[in-house]
Amino acid sequence: MDNKTTQNGNSFSILSQDILNRLKDLNITEPTKVQDKIIPIINEGKSVVFESETGTGKTFAYLLPLVNELEKNEDKLKLKILVCAPTFELASQINAAAKSITQRKTALFIGGAPLKRQIETLKEKPQIVIGTPARLVELIRLKKLKVSDVSSCIFDECDRLVKKESIEDTQNLKDLMPQNCRMIALSATISKPVKSFFNGIDCVIMPKEDILTSNITHWAFFAERRDKIDTLRKVLQAAECTKVLVFTSRADQVENIYSKLKFKHIDCIALHAKADKKDRKTAIDRFRSGKAKVLITSDLCARGLDIQNISHVIQMDLPSDEDFFIHRSGRTGRAGKKGINIVIGDEFEMKQFAALEKKLGITVYPKEIYNGKIEAPKMY
């Protein structure tokens, strides 16, 4: 371990003054727990798989030591860092995070975007490349993306990358990396398939920070299925919301919710899985900037979505996968801030929510709308 890290007990002590100044501009002066643990490991040149709850600062846990290492190297023409992410949105966010801490060239390569334009981008000799697995593999096999000098390959949201729909591309990408390439994988939930896929690499599981209980308040609104969107409208009008992320498990319901809220003159935008990259980026940018207060989306679109200051998450159903509930809820209450997670459910979903409450150790507060205000249900 770096001596300065050991002496000061702060992983940021290994970082250059330039990077520390950039972090200060982002109002970041102290490492999070996962950053304190992971930065020294990566600084030693080791491969690592790590799990840490959503909203704990995993992206900078790997980017900071890698960029710090990169900027010590005077060679500015060779690709050194390759980051693989499962979605366009997450890849874009990682790219933005990298740009915020370094002036070294970065490039974003995602499926669905014009291949010719991306090949042109490679002529600018980026040193950090972020992309989705299929497109990265395609560019490597076309011999346009040269990975012989890549020293670090990162698999962000690795639990999603090893699922059935992505594992072939992820395996191909891993196999195409140089033999001495450092492998880094991370997620909020490290599953057995992840451990198997990265067999032989040390796995670090960060202690739970209980963000679901300490930073997030959980509310439950009962509504029959036919009344859910109207209940959502009433909640949006009654709650003191500044930025709201609305989830639905069914992708086809995104447009339905959007159109009904717009009809009631509620300012909102929808994030569709089938929308082109430009429209999706526009939607996220409008939501991030605060130009739109409500964003309606599905789990596939919002996985890994890191937008600051989301005051409320509203779940229009309970996902069958417990991990999805955790990922949804964790979009609020990030970076030490407080947030509210709301489930609008029918009788069956309320029973599911009660079981989840017990399993996750959270406290759920039943609520109802009365005279346009959110209150605890009246007892008769």
Side-chain angles (χ1 to χ4, degrees), residues 102-289:
T102 185
Q103 292 184 326
R104 295 291 176 100
K105 284 191 174 68
T106 73
L108 180 65
F109 300 118
I110 43 89
L115 186 64
K116 188 176 180 181
R117 193 179 302 163
Q118 292 183 352
I119 291 171
E120 285 297 312
T121 301
L122 284 168
K123 293 178 181 178
E124 297 174 11
K125 304 291 185 185
Q127 290 199 283
I128 304 171
V129 159
I130 302 112
T132 47
R135 179 52 57 94
L136 291 173
V137 169
E138 183 179 13
L139 287 166
I140 295 168
R141 286 179 170 166
L142 286 171
K143 300 191 186 308
K144 301 298 181 181
L145 180 61
K146 295 176 173 59
V147 295
S148 56
D149 293 300
V150 171
S151 57
S152 302
C153 183
I154 301 94
F155 298 86
D156 204 320
E157 294 278 9
C158 56
D159 59 323
R160 176 93 175 267
L161 288 169
V162 302
K163 286 189 181 295
K164 187 178 180 180
E165 64 271 17
S166 302
I167 191 166
E168 185 178 350
D169 291 320
T170 305
Q171 182 67 61
N172 287 337
L173 183 66
K174 185 168 174 272
D175 291 344
L176 287 165
M177 290 300 104
Q179 193 170 2
N180 60 347
C181 181
R182 168 175 43 195
M183 297 286 171
I184 299 166
L186 60 138
S187 180
T189 45
I190 297 295
S191 59
K192 287 183 180 178
V194 169
K195 290 180 180 178
S196 176
F197 188 87
F198 294 101
N199 184 40
I201 299 176
D202 287 345
C203 185
V204 174
I205 307 294
M206 293 300 295
K208 297 293 182 186
E209 295 183 35
D210 294 325
I211 289 170
L212 280 181
T213 56
S214 60
N215 292 359
I216 302 171
T217 302
H218 302 271
W219 291 353
F221 286 85
F222 170 78
E224 297 291 355
R225 191 167 296 275
R226 64 180 177 274
D227 299 324
K228 283 190 175 191
I229 298 176
D230 195 47
T231 301
L232 169 64
R233 176 186 62 80
K234 291 175 182 177
V235 170
L236 290 171
Q237 290 173 334
E240 295 178 2
C241 305
T242 55
K243 196 173 284 188
V244 188
L245 192 55
V246 178
F247 281 102
T248 174
S249 295
R250 290 173 52 192
D252 62 339
Q253 277 295 303
V254 173
E255 181 61 36
N256 186 35
I257 296 167
Y258 168 76
S259 59
K260 288 186 177 180
L261 289 183
K262 289 293 281 186
F263 182 74
K264 294 291 184 178
H265 308 293
I266 290 177
D267 183 26
C268 59
I269 48 177
L271 185 60
H272 299 278
K274 292 182 180 178
D276 63 37
K277 300 297 185 290
K278 185 179 178 182
D279 289 342
R280 288 164 74 177
K281 184 179 185 302
T282 299
I284 291 172
D285 287 347
R286 282 194 66 211
F287 184 58
R288 181 176 275 118
S289 67

Side-chain angles (χ1 to χ4, degrees), residues 14-15 19 38-39 41-46 48 50 58-73 80-83 94 98 101-102 104 127-128 150-155 182-184 186:
I14 71 167
L15 304 176
I19 293 176
I38 299 301
I39 287 173
I41 294 172
I42 295 176
N43 189 54
E44 290 176 352
K46 294 178 180 178
V48 66
F50 66 96
K58 294 187 292 295
T59 304
F60 276 158
Y62 67 80
L63 277 181
L64 287 170
L66 294 179
V67 166
N68 191 65
E69 181 182 284
L70 179 68
E71 291 190 346
K72 290 178 183 176
N73 192 330
K80 289 294 184 180
I81 301 167
L82 189 145
V83 185
I94 296 166
I101 58 169
T102 185
R104 295 291 176 100
Q127 290 199 283
I128 304 171
V150 171
S151 57
S152 302
C153 183
I154 301 94
F155 298 86
R182 168 175 43 195
M183 297 286 171
I184 299 166
L186 60 138

